[in-house]
Amino acid sequence: MYEQKTKETDASVIEFIESVESPKKREDAYRLLELFKEATGYEAKMWGPSIIGFGSYHYVYKTGHEGDAPLVGFSPRKAKISLYFAPGETERESLLAQFGKHTTGKACVYINKVADIDTDVLKELITASVVFLRKQYPEQS
C-alpha cells in the first residue's frame, strides 16, 4: 500500500527556518511566513522535513489513492524558494502574469527572492488556492 511521504509533523517551523544556511533566504522565509499566515489565517506547520504548510485538506483520487496535504505552503530550498499553490486553480495563470520574476513547475512556483515578486499578488495567489481547494475538497465533519 502507498505510504504518503510528505506528512504534517510536530517539528518547529522556526527551528527549520533558523537552519536555512543563507541569511537572505532565512529573511525571505520569515517574510513569507508572515504573508502566508496573514493571507490564510492558519498557523504554519512543517510538512515533511522542508515544507512549511498552512491549513490542510484531505484528497481522494478516482484511483482510490488518498492523503492529506497543506492548502498552500513554501520551502526555502538552496537554489530557489518553492511556493506551493493548488494545481488547476483557474486564476493562477492571470495572477502569475502580474507576479514578478518566477518560473513554474507542475505544482510549484519558484522564486529567487521575495524582492522579485509583488507580495499583493502573492496574497491573491494564496487566497485563490485556499478557496479553490476548499471547494474541491470540502472539509468533512
Side-chain angles (χ1 to χ4, degrees):
M1 190 166 133
Y2 175 81
E3 175 77 24
Q4 187 177 338
K5 288 182 203 144
T6 307
K7 297 178 184 173
E8 187 178 318
T9 71
D10 290 331
S12 165
V13 170
I14 300 302
E15 283 179 24
F16 170 68
I17 292 174
E18 285 298 318
S19 76
V20 172
E21 282 183 42
S22 161
K24 280 281 183 208
K25 278 235 169 55
R26 210 169 30 248
E27 189 179 306
D28 278 349
Y30 279 116
R31 180 76 179 114
L32 289 169
L33 183 66
E34 186 181 298
L35 290 164
F36 273 77
K37 185 177 176 182
E38 188 180 306
T40 65
Y42 292 108
E43 289 297 321
K45 301 278 187 181
M46 289 302 301
W47 285 77
S50 61
I51 295 173
I52 299 169
F54 298 80
S56 67
Y57 68 99
H58 186 78
Y59 59 86
V60 181
Y61 295 142
K62 288 180 179 135
T63 60
H65 172 82
E66 64 181 286
D68 297 296
L71 292 166
V72 289
F74 70 92
S75 183
R77 308 226 184 245
K78 205 168 217 159
K80 293 185 181 266
I81 298 169
S82 301
L83 305 174
Y84 301 96
F85 304 116
E89 194 283 309
T90 55
E91 291 178 51
R92 178 176 165 153
E93 289 310 311
S94 63
L95 287 170
L96 285 175
Q98 310 162 50
F99 188 51
K101 189 177 171 186
H102 71 281
T103 55
T104 57
K106 208 171 202 172
C108 297
V109 174
Y110 304 100
I111 63 170
N112 289 318
K113 56 188 183 285
V114 174
D116 288 344
I117 61 165
D118 183 324
T119 55
D120 289 333
V121 175
L122 172 62
K123 288 182 194 176
E124 288 182 60
L125 282 161
I126 293 167
T127 302
S129 276
V130 170
V131 168
F132 175 79
L133 288 169
R134 284 286 178 235
K135 280 183 189 163
Q136 291 284 108
Y137 304 96
E139 293 183 74
Q140 293 84 23
S141 37

